[in-house]
Amino acid sequence: MDITNGALFDLTKTRAAELFDPSALPVTVLPLIGDFILKLGPTLDPERFEQRGENVWIARSAKIAATATINGPCIIDEETDVRPGAFIRGNVLTGKNDVVGNSTEMKNVILFDNVQVPHYNYVGDSILGYRSHMGAGSITSNVKSDKKPVVIKDGERQYPTDRKKVGAFLGDFVEVGCGSVLNPGTVIGRNSNVYPLTSVRGCIPPYSICKKSDLIVPKE
């Protein structure tokens, strides 16, 4: 399976396109997110964005609930909806028209445009592609139980990340069912679906349905 940035993402659907070498793995972007936000934030059009607090830039067209917590570095892009109880811990760059839902927690994340994490989600050290969606209660687990560095596994192929915290990488148009757990280093190819209550690990090919961890079938 091709798990490079170019295979997973439409790079015209994020302000962070310059961070994504199309031939590299998405894990290479994770350590760059915070510094990129700090560089980009002050350049944003003040007629369309306002700075609220230290290193937090929010689009004037965004809808932010009064009970949401947003820590910097962070950029909330245009027309994005941040709902009550959301906890954005820093190093978060949303796209346009995203939904960060009630009681959703995020840190060190890039959301492409039109992404939805709308209900009780945890998304950490992850990248979610254009129009991807995580069902209620689905999470990205970003630390192994043994605390060792995460290795991305695609069948017999292994890609050491040298990072203890790596969540998941969802390609464009991925649908993750309610209550699912994406284990550290999970990669889901474009246009794939994950059934509810599934524990996912490794790499799911594009245009597939993951019915359970050991049952992955092509979409018809």
Side-chain angles (χ1 to χ4, degrees), residues 80-98:
T80 285
D81 186 2
V82 180
R83 294 176 176 170
F87 181 24
I88 296 176
R89 290 167 47 192
N91 290 359
V92 171
L93 173 64
T94 81
K96 299 179 180 68
N97 301 297
D98 290 346

Side-chain angles (χ1 to χ4, degrees), residues 7 19 50-51 103 117 121-122 133 136 146 154-155 158 192 211:
L19 299 183
E50 61 179 326
Q51 186 170 357
S103 304
V117 281
N121 305 107
Y122 174 71
H133 170 260
D146 61 10
D154 179 19
Q158 297 193 3
S192 285
K211 297 187 174 183

Side-chain angles (χ1 to χ4, degrees), residues 134-148:
M134 294 184 65
S138 60
I139 66 168
T140 66
S141 174
N142 60 341
V143 180
K144 295 173 60 179
S145 59
D146 61 10
K147 307 300 190 291
K148 292 182 179 179

Side-chain angles (χ1 to χ4, degrees), residues 37-58:
I37 293 170
L38 293 174
K39 181 181 76 170
L40 177 62
T43 72
L44 295 170
D45 183 352
E47 293 188 359
R48 295 162 58 193
F49 287 82
E50 61 179 326
Q51 186 170 357
R52 301 189 194 175
E54 185 175 4
N55 301 322
V56 175
W57 293 269
I58 297 178

Side-chain angles (χ1 to χ4, degrees), residues 1 8 169-171 174 176 182 186-190 192 194 200 204:
M1 172 180 167
L8 292 170
F169 306 104
L170 276 57
V174 164
V176 177
L182 309 182
T186 293
V187 181
I188 303 179
R190 293 188 191 203
S192 285
V194 174
V200 185
I204 308 300

Side-chain angles (χ1 to χ4, degrees), residues 74-132:
C74 179
I75 294 173
I76 305 297
D77 213 330
E78 295 176 294
E79 305 294 339
T80 285
D81 186 2
V82 180
R83 294 176 176 170
F87 181 24
I88 296 176
R89 290 167 47 192
N91 290 359
V92 171
L93 173 64
T94 81
K96 299 179 180 68
N97 301 297
D98 290 346
V99 175
V100 180
N102 57 302
S103 304
T104 289
E105 179 181 350
M106 298 196 304
K107 54 84 77 171
N108 203 47
V109 167
I110 292 177
L111 306 182
F112 279 55
D113 297 344
N114 297 92
V115 169
Q116 294 192 356
V117 281
H119 311 285
Y120 308 106
N121 305 107
Y122 174 71
V123 186
D125 301 283
S126 299
I127 299 171
L128 277 57
Y130 176 63
R131 288 193 179 276
S132 59

